[in-house]
Amino acid sequence: MSNRKRVLVTGGAGFLGSHLCERLLSDGCDVLCVDNFYSGTKDNVTHLLENPHFELMRHDVTFPLYVEVDEIYNLACPASPIHYQRDPVQTTKTSVHGAINVLGLAKRTKARVFQASTSEVYGDPEVHPQQEGYWGRVNPIGIRSCYDEGKRCAETLFFDYHRQHDLEIKVVRIFNTYGPRMHPNDGRVVSNFIVQALRGEDITIYGDGSQTRSFCYVDDLIDGFVRMMASSKDMTGPVNLGNPGEFTIRELAEAVLKMVGGKSKLVMKPLPQDDPKQRQPDITLAKSVLGWKPQIKLEEGLGRTIDYFRKFVTS
């Protein structure tokens, strides 16, 4: 009888999910990858299909799932504005009904359950950098609310299940992450800039480019996931995971241009509604409790990401 840990990854065919499935397989786990392919794609996990310890299932987490597992990573939810605003009601349902369903599964199987929350729970913050104790400043009725408030409600459900049913929960708040397998048309700033530069198009900056973001390479983030899941029972989170190195959007655009080359120009467009002006994680808790901090510098990570996109994008 196998003593491999049985791990469910919802949203496992997405950008982050596919990297997590890879890491878990390399760690000796049996991995069940569940995805409805709304924003994820089979292409992200095709290379894993021949592994006998990997299984792919098409399923929507807004419906219950009946499987036997030891751990659950709940990553199911479109995470870029282009995708989550396309069907905002479904986005909220994915966060809220999805959380209820994975928590119910965890309760039945006594599995440890992990919630991939987001820095968006902080909204457009009045506190900088953002610490886990900050409650946030979120517009509850804006065009981003389906994602922001859906993720906030999911956190509420996780902590209520923990208090009411003594469930072992792990909640992380993910800050901007980038790397291979990002969707080329997901509207996220790193993929946008790289794709535009590779195509020789003008690079679109929303606002004046002075707004800041912190960019974490995907391998670093996934290492944080695994460390969090393995942490002691009383370490519920939430824990910020991200790179505290802060860059303006203009600095990122200029770095991408320099690395890709070409003659693209920077073009300014109006800032979208509720777009945060600053985003930077305080990772003091992750450092002290998980022994985690990002290792990969922006230039190295951008280089790997550009190499990935070169295979798919032609000028």
Side-chain angles (χ1 to χ4, degrees), residues 271-283:
L271 200 64
Q273 179 188 337
D274 298 331
D275 193 60
K277 310 297 186 301
Q278 290 181 305
R279 183 69 85 226
Q280 182 190 20
D282 182 321
I283 61 167

Side-chain angles (χ1 to χ4, degrees), residues 106-119:
K107 181 184 169 190
R108 181 181 67 79
T109 59
K110 296 181 170 54
R112 185 171 277 200
V113 58
F114 174 105
Q115 169 66 3
S117 190
T118 172
S119 62

Side-chain angles (χ1 to χ4, degrees), residues 16 116-120 172-177 221 225 239 241:
L16 297 181
S117 190
T118 172
S119 62
E120 299 301 326
V172 302
R173 292 174 176 164
I174 302 167
F175 284 69
N176 289 59
T177 305
L221 185 80
F225 283 11
V239 175
L241 291 182

Side-chain angles (χ1 to χ4, degrees), residues 88-250:
V89 172
Q90 185 63 25
T91 296
T92 304
K93 287 172 72 175
T94 300
S95 282
V96 178
H97 291 190
I100 290 168
N101 288 328
V102 300
L103 287 162
L105 174 61
K107 181 184 169 190
R108 181 181 67 79
T109 59
K110 296 181 170 54
R112 185 171 277 200
V113 58
F114 174 105
Q115 169 66 3
S117 190
T118 172
S119 62
E120 299 301 326
V121 300
Y122 299 121
D124 190 1
E126 302 148 303
V127 172
H128 189 76
Q130 291 80 57
Q131 295 179 319
E132 290 87 352
Y134 175 55
W135 291 354
R137 178 173 172 261
V138 174
N139 177 0
I141 59 170
I143 58 172
R144 300 171 69 105
S145 308
C146 58
Y147 184 70
D148 301 1
E149 295 288 36
K151 288 287 192 179
R152 285 164 69 94
C153 184
E155 285 196 18
T156 301
L157 285 161
F158 265 70
F159 278 88
D160 283 338
Y161 265 78
H162 170 64
R163 286 184 286 257
Q164 193 170 333
H165 302 296
D166 197 31
L167 223 60
E168 288 193 38
I169 65 165
K170 304 288 177 182
V171 177
V172 302
R173 292 174 176 164
I174 302 167
F175 284 69
N176 289 59
T177 305
Y178 69 99
R181 296 189 212 132
M182 293 184 84
H183 196 290
N185 302 314
D186 68 1
R188 297 191 214 195
V189 65
V190 174
S191 49
N192 264 9
F193 287 175
I194 291 174
V195 169
Q196 288 174 333
L198 288 171
R199 288 177 176 161
E201 300 169 353
D202 290 338
I203 291 183
T204 307
I205 292 178
Y206 294 97
D208 62 5
S210 64
Q211 66 271 38
T212 65
R213 294 293 184 272
S214 306
F215 302 102
C216 185
Y217 189 68
V218 60
D219 290 358
D220 281 333
L221 185 80
I222 298 304
D223 184 56
F225 283 11
V226 173
R227 286 172 184 250
M228 181 62 174
M229 184 64 100
S231 63
S232 63
K233 180 180 177 180
D234 60 355
M235 183 55 197
T236 59
V239 175
N240 290 336
L241 291 182
N243 194 322
E246 190 179 17
F247 297 87
T248 67
I249 296 300
R250 177 180 279 276

Side-chain angles (χ1 to χ4, degrees), residues 4-7 68-72 109-112:
R4 285 174 175 264
K5 199 177 287 180
R6 301 166 300 176
V7 185
E68 303 304 317
V69 290
D70 304 305
E71 292 180 350
I72 303 166
T109 59
K110 296 181 170 54
R112 185 171 277 200

